[in-house]
C-alpha cells in the first residue's frame, strides 16, 4: 500500500510499476519504480550482500520502498514499504541509505516534523527477515535536530558492525559526526566528532561518504572548506569508529571556490585498498591507495565508486539529468550508461566480491523512474 505525506492510502496508476515484478535481460537496465509528484520515486540506493543478493531502496514521499533480487538482478521482489520518515530529506544526494550486515538489512534516513532544513534527525531501521518486515526507527544523532541538513552515509563492516556519518549542526557550524553499531543497529554509540574545520564549517551541502574494510577500519570522506578551497578530505578510525585520526586531503590538486558545489564524491575499500572518486571544477578524478597522484577520468560531476577485487568501478554524470558514464577497471575509457540520469550509485559485495550493480533516478516526461543494472556478474 502507498501513502501520501498526509498518510492517506493512495495507489495512483503511474505507481503500479512499483509493485510489479520485473525481469532483466543480461546487460540491460530494469525499471523498478515509476511515479509522479508528490509520490515520485527518488534517490535510489543499492547494497549487495555476501551471498550476492541485491538490495535496492528509494524514497516515495515520506516512505522508503525496498526491493531485492536473489538471482543476480534477473528478477526483483515486490516493493515493501518501511515505517514513515516524516518530511524525509530527498533530492540532491539527500535520501535514505542502505547497508547489509551478516544478519540484517539496515536503512537510515533523515526526517523531522517540519523538514526542509528546519529540523531533522537521523533515523535507522532494520529487517531480520530479508526485508519482509522492518523495525521501528531509532534515532542515531544524540543532539536533537542536528542532522537537519539531510546529508549522511552508512556502511557495513565485519559481522554486524555499521557506521553512520552525517553533516551535523549541533554547534552552529557544519561538522562531520559519526556513530557506530556493533549489533546490526539495535543500538548506536555516542556521537563522535570526525572533523571540525578550523575555518568554521566544512562544505555545507556536500554529502559525506563512509567505508569499512575487512578488519573493521572505518574511513570517512567529506568535502572541506579550508583556506578558500573546497577539497576532499579523509579521516580514519582503527577502533571501530570510537575515535578518528588526523584528516588528510585527497589528491594533489585543489579547487579554489567560495561556494558549495553540492557534490561530495565517494569512497570505497576492498582487500585493504582504499579508493576515492570526486569532482574538482568540471572534471572527475580517481585515486587508489598507493598511487602517487589522482587520475582524471573525464568531465562531469556526481561520481560514485565501488571497489572490487579487480579494481574500482566509477559512475558519474555529464551533468544532472544528463548522460551517465561508467568506467570499468579493465578499460581506460568510460562508456555511456544512460541518456538521462540523476545521482547514480554503484555497489558490490563485501570485500569487492559479487555482482556490481548501478541504480539511478531518471525523469521521463512528468514521471520519475528508478533504474537498476547489473554491470558485472
Amino acid at each position: 500500500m502507498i501513502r501520501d505525506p498526509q498518510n492517506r492510502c493512495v495507489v495512483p496508476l503511474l505507481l503500479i510499476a512499483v509493485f510489479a515484478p520485473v525481469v532483466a535481460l543480461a546487460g540491460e537496465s530494469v525499471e523498478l519504480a515509476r511515479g509522479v509528484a508528490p509520490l515520485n520515486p527518488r534517490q535510489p540506493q543499492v547494497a549487495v550482500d555476501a551471498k550476492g543478493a541485491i538490495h535496492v531502496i528509494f524514497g516515495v514521499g515520506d516512505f522508503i520502498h525496498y526491493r531485492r533480487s536473489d538471482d543476480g538482478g534477473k528478477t526483483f521482489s515486490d516493493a515493501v514499504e518501511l515505517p514513515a520518515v516524516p518530511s524525509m530529506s530527498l533530492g540532491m544526494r539527500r535520501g535514505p541509505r542502505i547497508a547489509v550486515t551478516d544478519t540484517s538489512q539496515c536503512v537510515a534516513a533523515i526526517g523531522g516534523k517540519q523538514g526542509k532544513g528546519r529540523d531533522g534527525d537521523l533515523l535507522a531501521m532494520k529487517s531480520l527477515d530479508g526485508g519482509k518486515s522492518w523495525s521501528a526507527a531509532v534515532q542515531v544523532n544524540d543532539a536533537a535536530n542536528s542532522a537537519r541538513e539531510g546529508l549522511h552515509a552508512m556502511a557495513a563492516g565485519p559481522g554486524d558492525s555499521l557506521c553512520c556519518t552525517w553533516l551535523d549542526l549541533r554547534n552552529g557550524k557544519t561538522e562531520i559526526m559519526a556513530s557506530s553499531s556493533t549489533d546490526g543497529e539495535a543500538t548506536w554509540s555516542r556521537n563522535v566528532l570526525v572533523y571540525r574545520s578550523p575555518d568554521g564549517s566544512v562544505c555545507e551541502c556536500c554529502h559525506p561518504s563512509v567505508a569499512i574494510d575487512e578488519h573493521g577500519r572505518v574511513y570517512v570522506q567529506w568535502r572541506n572548506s579550508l583556506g578558500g578551497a573546497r577539497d576532499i578530505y579523509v579521516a580514519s578510525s582503527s577502533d571501530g569508529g570510537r575515535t578518528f585520526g588526523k584528516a588528510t586531503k585527497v589528491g594533489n590538486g585543489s579547487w579554489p571556490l567560495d561556494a558549495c558545489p553540492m557534490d561530495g564524491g565517494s569512497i570505497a575499500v576492498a582487500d585493504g585498498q582504499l579508493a576515492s572518486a570526486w569532482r574538482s571544477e568540471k572534471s572527475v578524478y580517481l585515486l587508489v591507495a598507493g598511487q602517487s597522484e589522482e587520475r582524471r577520468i573525464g568531465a562531469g560531476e556526481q561520481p560514485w565508486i565501488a571497489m572490487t577485487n579487480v579494481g574500482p568501478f566509477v559512475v558519474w554524470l555529464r551533468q544532472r539529468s544528463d548522460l551517465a558514464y561508467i568506467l570499468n577497471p579493465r578499460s581506460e575509457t568510460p562508456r555511456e550508461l544512460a541518456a538521462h540520469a540523476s545521482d547514480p550509485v554503484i555497489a558490490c559485495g563485501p570485500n569487492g566480491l559479487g555482482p556490481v550493480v548501478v541504480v539511478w533516478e531518471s525523469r521521463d516526461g512528468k514521471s520519475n523512474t528508478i533504474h537498476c543494472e547489473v554491470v558485472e556478474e
Side-chain angles (χ1 to χ4, degrees):
M1 184 173 294
I2 302 175
R3 301 179 177 87
D4 69 6
Q6 283 72 48
N7 207 37
R8 297 172 297 194
C9 298
V10 292
V11 185
L13 178 62
L14 288 174
L15 275 176
I16 291 176
V18 171
F19 293 90
V22 295
V23 179
L25 299 176
E28 293 185 357
S29 69
V30 296
E31 183 181 297
L32 294 183
R34 174 181 291 264
V36 297
L39 297 177
N40 48 325
R42 305 178 67 191
Q43 298 294 291
Q45 291 278 319
V46 61
V48 179
D49 67 27
K51 296 181 180 179
I54 300 166
H55 308 260
V56 178
I57 59 167
F58 46 89
V60 180
D62 285 349
F63 293 86
I64 300 165
H65 287 199
Y66 167 88
R67 301 188 75 167
R68 68 178 288 159
S69 173
D70 292 296
D71 56 10
K74 296 180 177 64
T75 62
F76 281 82
S77 66
D78 291 347
V80 174
E81 188 181 84
L82 277 65
V85 178
S87 301
M88 182 165 58
S89 294
L90 283 173
M92 303 295 283
R93 292 296 191 190
R94 294 173 178 86
R97 301 292 190 260
I98 185 167
V100 182
T101 74
D102 285 353
T103 63
S104 63
Q105 294 80 45
C106 308
V107 169
I110 294 175
K113 293 181 179 179
Q114 303 176 75
K116 298 186 182 301
R118 293 184 289 268
D119 63 359
D121 293 311
L122 179 54
L123 307 173
M125 294 165 272
K126 71 175 181 178
S127 173
L128 296 173
D129 58 8
K132 297 180 180 68
S133 63
W134 293 82
S135 68
V138 297
Q139 185 172 318
V140 179
N141 57 304
D142 54 22
N145 297 315
S146 64
R148 59 187 178 272
E149 182 54 47
L151 291 163
H152 76 290
M154 180 169 63
D160 286 328
S161 63
L162 294 158
C163 184
C164 272
T165 187
W166 65 95
L167 300 193
D168 192 277
L169 290 160
R170 71 186 66 193
N171 295 315
K173 301 291 186 180
T174 309
E175 302 170 339
I176 306 297
M177 299 292 290
S179 178
S180 56
S181 173
T182 59
D183 53 13
E185 81 171 22
T187 58
W188 289 91
S189 70
R190 69 176 182 85
N191 297 173
V192 173
L193 178 68
V194 177
Y195 180 81
R196 176 184 293 129
S197 172
D199 283 3
S201 292
V202 300
C203 204
E204 298 86 353
C205 301
C206 287
H207 66 275
S209 297
V210 61
I212 308 175
D213 70 17
E214 65 270 30
H215 304 296
R217 190 176 189 91
V218 181
Y219 302 86
V220 174
Q221 175 178 288
W222 67 94
R223 189 178 293 277
N224 210 350
S225 178
L226 187 62
R230 302 285 176 132
D231 298 323
I232 298 294
Y233 278 67
V234 169
S236 66
S237 170
S238 59
D239 56 11
R242 290 187 290 273
T243 61
F244 283 83
K246 182 180 178 181
T248 58
K249 189 169 79 70
V250 179
N252 296 321
S254 188
W255 190 4
L257 182 67
D258 188 22
C260 177
M262 304 186 78
D263 196 338
S266 179
I267 195 171
V269 63
D271 286 331
Q273 196 170 32
L274 190 68
S276 178
W278 71 97
R279 173 194 173 191
S280 184
E281 298 191 33
K282 297 182 179 180
S283 296
V284 174
Y285 293 88
L286 170 66
L287 181 64
V288 178
Q291 296 177 348
S292 60
E293 61 181 12
E294 62 269 34
R295 169 191 169 195
R296 181 185 181 276
I297 57 175
E301 58 185 74
Q302 300 300 321
W304 207 277
I305 190 170
M307 191 61 176
T308 74
N309 57 356
V310 297
F313 284 74
V314 185
V315 292
W316 72 94
L317 301 173
R318 183 163 62 186
Q319 59 186 19
R320 287 186 185 271
S321 299
D322 200 348
L323 190 64
Y325 299 100
I326 182 168
L327 180 66
N328 187 305
R330 301 180 184 88
S331 174
E332 291 295 317
T333 57
R335 70 170 176 89
E336 296 181 6
L337 178 68
H340 302 287
S342 290
D343 298 344
V345 173
I346 190 166
C348 61
N351 205 27
L353 302 174
V356 182
V357 187
V358 184
V359 294
W360 67 91
E361 175 185 330
S362 184
R363 180 171 290 276
D364 177 13
K366 294 182 179 180
S367 298
N368 263 37
T369 53
I370 301 298
H371 296 268
C372 177
E373 181 174 331
V374 175
V375 294
E376 179 141 323
E377 295 180 352

